[in-house]
Amino acid sequence: MSDNGCGFPAPGLHSFLFQPMFTVGGFEFNKVMLLALLTSLVVVSFFYAAFGRAKVVPGKTQMIAEAGYDFVRRSIVYETLGKREGEKYVPLMVSLFFFVWIMNVWSVIPLAQFPVASVIAYPAVLALIVYVLWVSLTFKRHGFVGGWKNIVGYDASLGPIKWLVSFIEFFSNLLVRPFTHAVRLFANMFAGHLMLVMFTVASWYLLNGWMIPAAGVSFVMTIVMILFELFVQAVQAYVFVLLACSYIQGALAEHH
């Protein structure tokens, strides 16, 4: 920390806090909100450009969009929910996948250089959408009593321990599940951004005198971290949507 005399501006929580760009009626609009808004615009604009005037012989944009759409549809939704049940959820899952992915990708884009998902509010809202869908589908498919049995995993054949199992399942499904769904994405993006900032700042800080070789090592690690982050960003989008599909599958599954 620069206050202790070493001069190294170590990254910390302040790396995730931004001053408001402007304020309207007490509402503060900052960089993270701008990136979240741009994420929506990028995703919507890309798919509109690809499918707004879809052609039988697709151009490059349409081919890329079709490949991405087909990947989510076949590799995630169909594999988890099956074609018959899953088809209706494909648009939502494709939207979630690309929204999460672009939110993450901002961390390696010059000038932006910040993953939106490293602010817990954004993964929390997306997890809440999935949570509300899961609960509503559970009760719609199984009714009020059957829905609760599905949620708590009630199984009369377990005998005396059925109430203990039901309590654990209730706690796990209704309280822990949405929390872990959001935190898994948030924690990975938070940690990745912190490491990337640390190596980037260290590369500049070490550019003096005999420490230049160490700066070179730090710069190499920065490149490695960027490549690793690109991989993690895609994986986290995949995992988020895969879990969303698995929750829906559980809601639609017949209770025994």
Side-chain angles (χ1 to χ4, degrees), residues 158-188:
L158 294 176
I161 67 168
K162 63 187 176 184
W163 301 113
L164 176 60
V165 172
S166 294
F167 174 77
I168 294 173
E169 286 294 306
F170 173 85
F171 183 79
S172 173
N173 289 333
L174 286 183
L175 301 178
V176 176
R177 174 178 289 184
F179 176 77
T180 56
H181 197 197
V183 169
R184 182 180 285 104
L185 173 59
F186 157 73
N188 278 279

PDB file of all heavy atoms in Angstrom, residues 158-188:
ATOM      1  N   LEU A 158     -38.121 -43.615   3.378  1.00  0.00           N
ATOM      2  CA  LEU A 158     -36.939 -43.397   4.221  1.00  0.00           C
ATOM      3  C   LEU A 158     -37.216 -43.631   5.698  1.00  0.00           C
ATOM      4  O   LEU A 158     -36.283 -43.644   6.510  1.00  0.00           O
ATOM      5  CB  LEU A 158     -36.415 -41.969   4.015  1.00  0.00           C
ATOM      6  CG  LEU A 158     -35.855 -41.640   2.626  1.00  0.00           C
ATOM      7  CD1 LEU A 158     -35.470 -40.168   2.550  1.00  0.00           C
ATOM      8  CD2 LEU A 158     -34.646 -42.515   2.316  1.00  0.00           C
ATOM      9  N   GLY A 159     -38.485 -43.784   6.034  1.00  0.00           N
ATOM     10  CA  GLY A 159     -38.829 -44.065   7.433  1.00  0.00           C
ATOM     11  C   GLY A 159     -38.627 -42.868   8.339  1.00  0.00           C
ATOM     12  O   GLY A 159     -38.896 -41.717   7.949  1.00  0.00           O
ATOM     13  N   PRO A 160     -38.121 -43.097   9.548  1.00  0.00           N
ATOM     14  CA  PRO A 160     -38.002 -42.018  10.536  1.00  0.00           C
ATOM     15  C   PRO A 160     -37.091 -40.856  10.104  1.00  0.00           C
ATOM     16  O   PRO A 160     -37.263 -39.729  10.575  1.00  0.00           O
ATOM     17  CB  PRO A 160     -37.402 -42.734  11.767  1.00  0.00           C
ATOM     18  CG  PRO A 160     -37.764 -44.169  11.580  1.00  0.00           C
ATOM     19  CD  PRO A 160     -37.714 -44.402  10.110  1.00  0.00           C
ATOM     20  N   ILE A 161     -36.128 -41.129   9.232  1.00  0.00           N
ATOM     21  CA  ILE A 161     -35.199 -40.051   8.865  1.00  0.00           C
ATOM     22  C   ILE A 161     -35.725 -39.173   7.729  1.00  0.00           C
ATOM     23  O   ILE A 161     -35.051 -38.234   7.305  1.00  0.00           O
ATOM     24  CB  ILE A 161     -33.824 -40.618   8.451  1.00  0.00           C
ATOM     25  CG1 ILE A 161     -33.939 -41.414   7.140  1.00  0.00           C
ATOM     26  CG2 ILE A 161     -33.222 -41.450   9.555  1.00  0.00           C
ATOM     27  CD1 ILE A 161     -32.600 -41.753   6.535  1.00  0.00           C
ATOM     28  N   LYS A 162     -36.943 -39.471   7.260  1.00  0.00           N
ATOM     29  CA  LYS A 162     -37.481 -38.696   6.137  1.00  0.00           C
ATOM     30  C   LYS A 162     -37.630 -37.216   6.496  1.00  0.00           C
ATOM     31  O   LYS A 162     -37.441 -36.349   5.638  1.00  0.00           O
ATOM     32  CB  LYS A 162     -38.812 -39.263   5.681  1.00  0.00           C
ATOM     33  CG  LYS A 162     -39.921 -39.191   6.738  1.00  0.00           C
ATOM     34  CD  LYS A 162     -41.168 -39.926   6.266  1.00  0.00           C
ATOM     35  CE  LYS A 162     -42.244 -39.932   7.356  1.00  0.00           C
ATOM     36  NZ  LYS A 162     -43.423 -40.736   6.941  1.00  0.00           N
ATOM     37  N   TRP A 163     -37.944 -36.923   7.768  1.00  0.00           N
ATOM     38  CA  TRP A 163     -38.116 -35.522   8.167  1.00  0.00           C
ATOM     39  C   TRP A 163     -36.778 -34.798   8.222  1.00  0.00           C
ATOM     40  O   TRP A 163     -36.696 -33.618   7.881  1.00  0.00           O
ATOM     41  CB  TRP A 163     -38.817 -35.442   9.518  1.00  0.00           C
ATOM     42  CG  TRP A 163     -40.161 -36.106   9.497  1.00  0.00           C
ATOM     43  CD1 TRP A 163     -40.546 -37.226  10.164  1.00  0.00           C
ATOM     44  CD2 TRP A 163     -41.296 -35.683   8.731  1.00  0.00           C
ATOM     45  NE1 TRP A 163     -41.844 -37.543   9.870  1.00  0.00           N
ATOM     46  CE2 TRP A 163     -42.338 -36.609   8.996  1.00  0.00           C
ATOM     47  CE3 TRP A 163     -41.537 -34.625   7.853  1.00  0.00           C
ATOM     48  CZ2 TRP A 163     -43.599 -36.502   8.415  1.00  0.00           C
ATOM     49  CZ3 TRP A 163     -42.791 -34.513   7.270  1.00  0.00           C
ATOM     50  CH2 TRP A 163     -43.806 -35.440   7.549  1.00  0.00           C
ATOM     51  N   LEU A 164     -35.733 -35.518   8.642  1.00  0.00           N
ATOM     52  CA  LEU A 164     -34.397 -34.917   8.658  1.00  0.00           C
ATOM     53  C   LEU A 164     -33.935 -34.631   7.232  1.00  0.00           C
ATOM     54  O   LEU A 164     -33.412 -33.550   6.942  1.00  0.00           O
ATOM     55  CB  LEU A 164     -33.406 -35.851   9.352  1.00  0.00           C
ATOM     56  CG  LEU A 164     -31.937 -35.394   9.357  1.00  0.00           C
ATOM     57  CD1 LEU A 164     -31.798 -34.061  10.077  1.00  0.00           C
ATOM     58  CD2 LEU A 164     -31.053 -36.463   9.988  1.00  0.00           C
ATOM     59  N   VAL A 165     -34.153 -35.603   6.346  1.00  0.00           N
ATOM     60  CA  VAL A 165     -33.771 -35.418   4.938  1.00  0.00           C
ATOM     61  C   VAL A 165     -34.552 -34.258   4.326  1.00  0.00           C
ATOM     62  O   VAL A 165     -33.997 -33.436   3.592  1.00  0.00           O
ATOM     63  CB  VAL A 165     -34.015 -36.712   4.138  1.00  0.00           C
ATOM     64  CG1 VAL A 165     -33.820 -36.467   2.641  1.00  0.00           C
ATOM     65  CG2 VAL A 165     -33.098 -37.820   4.628  1.00  0.00           C
ATOM     66  N   SER A 166     -35.836 -34.184   4.644  1.00  0.00           N
ATOM     67  CA  SER A 166     -36.671 -33.114   4.103  1.00  0.00           C
ATOM     68  C   SER A 166     -36.206 -31.748   4.592  1.00  0.00           C
ATOM     69  O   SER A 166     -36.189 -30.774   3.821  1.00  0.00           O
ATOM     70  CB  SER A 166     -38.137 -33.332   4.509  1.00  0.00           C
ATOM     71  OG  SER A 166     -38.646 -34.506   3.899  1.00  0.00           O
ATOM     72  N   PHE A 167     -35.808 -31.676   5.862  1.00  0.00           N
ATOM     73  CA  PHE A 167     -35.320 -30.402   6.405  1.00  0.00           C
ATOM     74  C   PHE A 167     -34.033 -29.984   5.707  1.00  0.00           C
ATOM     75  O   PHE A 167     -33.861 -28.811   5.327  1.00  0.00           O
ATOM     76  CB  PHE A 167     -35.073 -30.536   7.908  1.00  0.00           C
ATOM     77  CG  PHE A 167     -34.430 -29.310   8.510  1.00  0.00           C
ATOM     78  CD1 PHE A 167     -35.178 -28.173   8.762  1.00  0.00           C
ATOM     79  CD2 PHE A 167     -33.067 -29.296   8.803  1.00  0.00           C
ATOM     80  CE1 PHE A 167     -34.582 -27.035   9.304  1.00  0.00           C
ATOM     81  CE2 PHE A 167     -32.469 -28.163   9.338  1.00  0.00           C
ATOM     82  CZ  PHE A 167     -33.239 -27.031   9.586  1.00  0.00           C
ATOM     83  N   ILE A 168     -33.128 -30.930   5.506  1.00  0.00           N
ATOM     84  CA  ILE A 168     -31.856 -30.628   4.836  1.00  0.00           C
ATOM     85  C   ILE A 168     -32.102 -30.195   3.396  1.00  0.00           C
ATOM     86  O   ILE A 168     -31.506 -29.220   2.906  1.00  0.00           O
ATOM     87  CB  ILE A 168     -30.921 -31.855   4.874  1.00  0.00           C
ATOM     88  CG1 ILE A 168     -30.504 -32.155   6.314  1.00  0.00           C
ATOM     89  CG2 ILE A 168     -29.690 -31.622   4.004  1.00  0.00           C
ATOM     90  CD1 ILE A 168     -29.717 -33.440   6.471  1.00  0.00           C
ATOM     91  N   GLU A 169     -33.004 -30.908   2.699  1.00  0.00           N
ATOM     92  CA  GLU A 169     -33.314 -30.565   1.306  1.00  0.00           C
ATOM     93  C   GLU A 169     -33.989 -29.203   1.220  1.00  0.00           C
ATOM     94  O   GLU A 169     -33.720 -28.429   0.292  1.00  0.00           O
ATOM     95  CB  GLU A 169     -34.223 -31.632   0.703  1.00  0.00           C
ATOM     96  CG  GLU A 169     -33.514 -32.935   0.394  1.00  0.00           C
ATOM     97  CD  GLU A 169     -32.481 -32.766  -0.714  1.00  0.00           C
ATOM     98  OE1 GLU A 169     -32.851 -32.272  -1.788  1.00  0.00           O
ATOM     99  OE2 GLU A 169     -31.318 -33.112  -0.492  1.00  0.00           O
ATOM    100  N   PHE A 170     -34.872 -28.906   2.163  1.00  0.00           N
ATOM    101  CA  PHE A 170     -35.542 -27.600   2.194  1.00  0.00           C
ATOM    102  C   PHE A 170     -34.512 -26.488   2.331  1.00  0.00           C
ATOM    103  O   PHE A 170     -34.531 -25.502   1.588  1.00  0.00           O
ATOM    104  CB  PHE A 170     -36.531 -27.549   3.367  1.00  0.00           C
ATOM    105  CG  PHE A 170     -37.146 -26.192   3.583  1.00  0.00           C
ATOM    106  CD1 PHE A 170     -38.269 -25.815   2.867  1.00  0.00           C
ATOM    107  CD2 PHE A 170     -36.595 -25.298   4.491  1.00  0.00           C
ATOM    108  CE1 PHE A 170     -38.842 -24.553   3.055  1.00  0.00           C
ATOM    109  CE2 PHE A 170     -37.155 -24.039   4.687  1.00  0.00           C
ATOM    110  CZ  PHE A 170     -38.282 -23.670   3.970  1.00  0.00           C
ATOM    111  N   PHE A 171     -33.609 -26.630   3.287  1.00  0.00           N
ATOM    112  CA  PHE A 171     -32.573 -25.632   3.521  1.00  0.00           C
ATOM    113  C   PHE A 171     -31.654 -25.510   2.308  1.00  0.00           C
ATOM    114  O   PHE A 171     -31.315 -24.403   1.868  1.00  0.00           O
ATOM    115  CB  PHE A 171     -31.756 -26.020   4.762  1.00  0.00           C
ATOM    116  CG  PHE A 171     -30.703 -25.019   5.131  1.00  0.00           C
ATOM    117  CD1 PHE A 171     -31.028 -23.855   5.810  1.00  0.00           C
ATOM    118  CD2 PHE A 171     -29.371 -25.240   4.793  1.00  0.00           C
ATOM    119  CE1 PHE A 171     -30.054 -22.932   6.151  1.00  0.00           C
ATOM    120  CE2 PHE A 171     -28.389 -24.324   5.118  1.00  0.00           C
ATOM    121  CZ  PHE A 171     -28.730 -23.166   5.807  1.00  0.00           C
ATOM    122  N   SER A 172     -31.283 -26.654   1.749  1.00  0.00           N
ATOM    123  CA  SER A 172     -30.360 -26.658   0.616  1.00  0.00           C
ATOM    124  C   SER A 172     -30.981 -26.044  -0.630  1.00  0.00           C
ATOM    125  O   SER A 172     -30.364 -25.212  -1.303  1.00  0.00           O
ATOM    126  CB  SER A 172     -29.925 -28.102   0.324  1.00  0.00           C
ATOM    127  OG  SER A 172     -29.152 -28.163  -0.853  1.00  0.00           O
ATOM    128  N   ASN A 173     -32.204 -26.435  -0.939  1.00  0.00           N
ATOM    129  CA  ASN A 173     -32.828 -25.996  -2.188  1.00  0.00           C
ATOM    130  C   ASN A 173     -33.332 -24.555  -2.145  1.00  0.00           C
ATOM    131  O   ASN A 173     -33.108 -23.782  -3.085  1.00  0.00           O
ATOM    132  CB  ASN A 173     -33.989 -26.926  -2.552  1.00  0.00           C
ATOM    133  CG  ASN A 173     -33.495 -28.285  -2.995  1.00  0.00           C
ATOM    134  OD1 ASN A 173     -32.390 -28.434  -3.499  1.00  0.00           O
ATOM    135  ND2 ASN A 173     -34.322 -29.306  -2.797  1.00  0.00           N
ATOM    136  N   LEU A 174     -34.010 -24.184  -1.071  1.00  0.00           N
ATOM    137  CA  LEU A 174     -34.624 -22.859  -1.027  1.00  0.00           C
ATOM    138  C   LEU A 174     -33.683 -21.755  -0.562  1.00  0.00           C
ATOM    139  O   LEU A 174     -33.900 -20.591  -0.893  1.00  0.00           O
ATOM    140  CB  LEU A 174     -35.861 -22.876  -0.124  1.00  0.00           C
ATOM    141  CG  LEU A 174     -37.101 -23.565  -0.706  1.00  0.00           C
ATOM    142  CD1 LEU A 174     -38.268 -23.449   0.250  1.00  0.00           C
ATOM    143  CD2 LEU A 174     -37.475 -22.964  -2.062  1.00  0.00           C
ATOM    144  N   LEU A 175     -32.643 -22.089   0.190  1.00  0.00           N
ATOM    145  CA  LEU A 175     -31.767 -21.061   0.735  1.00  0.00           C
ATOM    146  C   LEU A 175     -30.350 -21.122   0.162  1.00  0.00           C
ATOM    147  O   LEU A 175     -29.802 -20.101  -0.269  1.00  0.00           O
ATOM    148  CB  LEU A 175     -31.713 -21.176   2.265  1.00  0.00           C
ATOM    149  CG  LEU A 175     -33.064 -21.035   2.982  1.00  0.00           C
ATOM    150  CD1 LEU A 175     -32.892 -21.217   4.473  1.00  0.00           C
ATOM    151  CD2 LEU A 175     -33.706 -19.687   2.673  1.00  0.00           C
ATOM    152  N   VAL A 176     -29.759 -22.298   0.148  1.00  0.00           N
ATOM    153  CA  VAL A 176     -28.363 -22.424  -0.284  1.00  0.00           C
ATOM    154  C   VAL A 176     -28.231 -22.366  -1.802  1.00  0.00           C
ATOM    155  O   VAL A 176     -27.305 -21.743  -2.330  1.00  0.00           O
ATOM    156  CB  VAL A 176     -27.745 -23.731   0.255  1.00  0.00           C
ATOM    157  CG1 VAL A 176     -26.323 -23.908  -0.264  1.00  0.00           C
ATOM    158  CG2 VAL A 176     -27.753 -23.721   1.781  1.00  0.00           C
ATOM    159  N   ARG A 177     -29.155 -22.983  -2.514  1.00  0.00           N
ATOM    160  CA  ARG A 177     -29.040 -23.094  -3.970  1.00  0.00           C
ATOM    161  C   ARG A 177     -28.912 -21.741  -4.670  1.00  0.00           C
ATOM    162  O   ARG A 177     -27.968 -21.540  -5.452  1.00  0.00           O
ATOM    163  CB  ARG A 177     -30.231 -23.873  -4.526  1.00  0.00           C
ATOM    164  CG  ARG A 177     -30.274 -23.914  -6.046  1.00  0.00           C
ATOM    165  CD  ARG A 177     -31.430 -24.733  -6.564  1.00  0.00           C
ATOM    166  NE  ARG A 177     -31.221 -26.151  -6.337  1.00  0.00           N
ATOM    167  CZ  ARG A 177     -32.055 -27.102  -6.761  1.00  0.00           C
ATOM    168  NH1 ARG A 177     -33.165 -26.754  -7.395  1.00  0.00           N
ATOM    169  NH2 ARG A 177     -31.797 -28.375  -6.533  1.00  0.00           N
ATOM    170  N   PRO A 178     -29.824 -20.781  -4.453  1.00  0.00           N
ATOM    171  CA  PRO A 178     -29.671 -19.495  -5.154  1.00  0.00           C
ATOM    172  C   PRO A 178     -28.413 -18.752  -4.726  1.00  0.00           C
ATOM    173  O   PRO A 178     -27.793 -18.049  -5.535  1.00  0.00           O
ATOM    174  CB  PRO A 178     -30.939 -18.721  -4.766  1.00  0.00           C
ATOM    175  CG  PRO A 178     -31.400 -19.359  -3.497  1.00  0.00           C
ATOM    176  CD  PRO A 178     -31.031 -20.797  -3.617  1.00  0.00           C
ATOM    177  N   PHE A 179     -28.011 -18.920  -3.463  1.00  0.00           N
ATOM    178  CA  PHE A 179     -26.803 -18.259  -2.961  1.00  0.00           C
ATOM    179  C   PHE A 179     -25.563 -18.786  -3.681  1.00  0.00           C
ATOM    180  O   PHE A 179     -24.741 -18.010  -4.189  1.00  0.00           O
ATOM    181  CB  PHE A 179     -26.683 -18.492  -1.452  1.00  0.00           C
ATOM    182  CG  PHE A 179     -25.421 -17.935  -0.855  1.00  0.00           C
ATOM    183  CD1 PHE A 179     -25.282 -16.587  -0.608  1.00  0.00           C
ATOM    184  CD2 PHE A 179     -24.360 -18.789  -0.539  1.00  0.00           C
ATOM    185  CE1 PHE A 179     -24.109 -16.073  -0.056  1.00  0.00           C
ATOM    186  CE2 PHE A 179     -23.189 -18.291   0.006  1.00  0.00           C
ATOM    187  CZ  PHE A 179     -23.069 -16.926   0.250  1.00  0.00           C
ATOM    188  N   THR A 180     -25.425 -20.110  -3.746  1.00  0.00           N
ATOM    189  CA  THR A 180     -24.242 -20.693  -4.388  1.00  0.00           C
ATOM    190  C   THR A 180     -24.248 -20.449  -5.896  1.00  0.00           C
ATOM    191  O   THR A 180     -23.188 -20.293  -6.507  1.00  0.00           O
ATOM    192  CB  THR A 180     -24.162 -22.200  -4.116  1.00  0.00           C
ATOM    193  OG1 THR A 180     -25.385 -22.836  -4.552  1.00  0.00           O
ATOM    194  CG2 THR A 180     -23.966 -22.478  -2.634  1.00  0.00           C
ATOM    195  N   HIS A 181     -25.437 -20.410  -6.491  1.00  0.00           N
ATOM    196  CA  HIS A 181     -25.536 -20.147  -7.930  1.00  0.00           C
ATOM    197  C   HIS A 181     -24.954 -18.774  -8.267  1.00  0.00           C
ATOM    198  O   HIS A 181     -24.229 -18.610  -9.261  1.00  0.00           O
ATOM    199  CB  HIS A 181     -27.001 -20.226  -8.367  1.00  0.00           C
ATOM    200  CG  HIS A 181     -27.178 -20.364  -9.845  1.00  0.00           C
ATOM    201  ND1 HIS A 181     -28.382 -20.120 -10.476  1.00  0.00           N
ATOM    202  CD2 HIS A 181     -26.318 -20.711 -10.836  1.00  0.00           C
ATOM    203  CE1 HIS A 181     -28.251 -20.321 -11.771  1.00  0.00           C
ATOM    204  NE2 HIS A 181     -27.007 -20.680 -12.022  1.00  0.00           N
ATOM    205  N   ALA A 182     -25.253 -17.787  -7.432  1.00  0.00           N
ATOM    206  CA  ALA A 182     -24.751 -16.429  -7.663  1.00  0.00           C
ATOM    207  C   ALA A 182     -23.294 -16.300  -7.259  1.00  0.00           C
ATOM    208  O   ALA A 182     -22.477 -15.715  -7.987  1.00  0.00           O
ATOM    209  CB  ALA A 182     -25.603 -15.429  -6.886  1.00  0.00           C
ATOM    210  N   VAL A 183     -22.936 -16.855  -6.099  1.00  0.00           N
ATOM    211  CA  VAL A 183     -21.589 -16.668  -5.557  1.00  0.00           C
ATOM    212  C   VAL A 183     -20.538 -17.383  -6.396  1.00  0.00           C
ATOM    213  O   VAL A 183     -19.403 -16.903  -6.524  1.00  0.00           O
ATOM    214  CB  VAL A 183     -21.525 -17.138  -4.087  1.00  0.00           C
ATOM    215  CG1 VAL A 183     -20.090 -17.215  -3.594  1.00  0.00           C
ATOM    216  CG2 VAL A 183     -22.333 -16.194  -3.204  1.00  0.00           C
ATOM    217  N   ARG A 184     -20.880 -18.515  -6.997  1.00  0.00           N
ATOM    218  CA  ARG A 184     -19.911 -19.240  -7.824  1.00  0.00           C
ATOM    219  C   ARG A 184     -19.406 -18.350  -8.956  1.00  0.00           C
ATOM    220  O   ARG A 184     -18.206 -18.274  -9.226  1.00  0.00           O
ATOM    221  CB  ARG A 184     -20.557 -20.506  -8.381  1.00  0.00           C
ATOM    222  CG  ARG A 184     -19.606 -21.349  -9.221  1.00  0.00           C
ATOM    223  CD  ARG A 184     -20.299 -22.594  -9.758  1.00  0.00           C
ATOM    224  NE  ARG A 184     -20.491 -23.596  -8.715  1.00  0.00           N
ATOM    225  CZ  ARG A 184     -21.643 -23.847  -8.111  1.00  0.00           C
ATOM    226  NH1 ARG A 184     -22.725 -23.153  -8.438  1.00  0.00           N
ATOM    227  NH2 ARG A 184     -21.739 -24.779  -7.181  1.00  0.00           N
ATOM    228  N   LEU A 185     -20.318 -17.672  -9.625  1.00  0.00           N
ATOM    229  CA  LEU A 185     -19.944 -16.768 -10.718  1.00  0.00           C
ATOM    230  C   LEU A 185     -19.216 -15.547 -10.175  1.00  0.00           C
ATOM    231  O   LEU A 185     -18.154 -15.164 -10.687  1.00  0.00           O
ATOM    232  CB  LEU A 185     -21.207 -16.337 -11.476  1.00  0.00           C
ATOM    233  CG  LEU A 185     -21.039 -15.260 -12.550  1.00  0.00           C
ATOM    234  CD1 LEU A 185     -20.067 -15.697 -13.623  1.00  0.00           C
ATOM    235  CD2 LEU A 185     -22.412 -14.918 -13.161  1.00  0.00           C
ATOM    236  N   PHE A 186     -19.767 -14.948  -9.137  1.00  0.00           N
ATOM    237  CA  PHE A 186     -19.167 -13.747  -8.548  1.00  0.00           C
ATOM    238  C   PHE A 186     -17.748 -14.000  -8.052  1.00  0.00           C
ATOM    239  O   PHE A 186     -16.823 -13.230  -8.353  1.00  0.00           O
ATOM    240  CB  PHE A 186     -20.052 -13.270  -7.385  1.00  0.00           C
ATOM    241  CG  PHE A 186     -19.322 -12.425  -6.373  1.00  0.00           C
ATOM    242  CD1 PHE A 186     -18.962 -11.125  -6.662  1.00  0.00           C
ATOM    243  CD2 PHE A 186     -18.984 -12.947  -5.125  1.00  0.00           C
ATOM    244  CE1 PHE A 186     -18.279 -10.341  -5.729  1.00  0.00           C
ATOM    245  CE2 PHE A 186     -18.313 -12.180  -4.192  1.00  0.00           C
ATOM    246  CZ  PHE A 186     -17.948 -10.875  -4.493  1.00  0.00           C
ATOM    247  N   ALA A 187     -17.547 -15.071  -7.304  1.00  0.00           N
ATOM    248  CA  ALA A 187     -16.240 -15.337  -6.688  1.00  0.00           C
ATOM    249  C   ALA A 187     -15.159 -15.570  -7.739  1.00  0.00           C
ATOM    250  O   ALA A 187     -14.024 -15.091  -7.594  1.00  0.00           O
ATOM    251  CB  ALA A 187     -16.339 -16.549  -5.760  1.00  0.00           C
ATOM    252  N   ASN A 188     -15.488 -16.293  -8.789  1.00  0.00           N
ATOM    253  CA  ASN A 188     -14.500 -16.545  -9.845  1.00  0.00           C
ATOM    254  C   ASN A 188     -14.102 -15.268 -10.560  1.00  0.00           C
ATOM    255  O   ASN A 188     -12.923 -15.045 -10.849  1.00  0.00           O
ATOM    256  CB  ASN A 188     -15.052 -17.567 -10.849  1.00  0.00           C
ATOM    257  CG  ASN A 188     -14.894 -18.992 -10.386  1.00  0.00           C
ATOM    258  OD1 ASN A 188     -13.828 -19.589 -10.517  1.00  0.00           O
ATOM    259  ND2 ASN A 188     -15.951 -19.547  -9.819  1.00  0.00           N
TER     260      ASN A 188
END
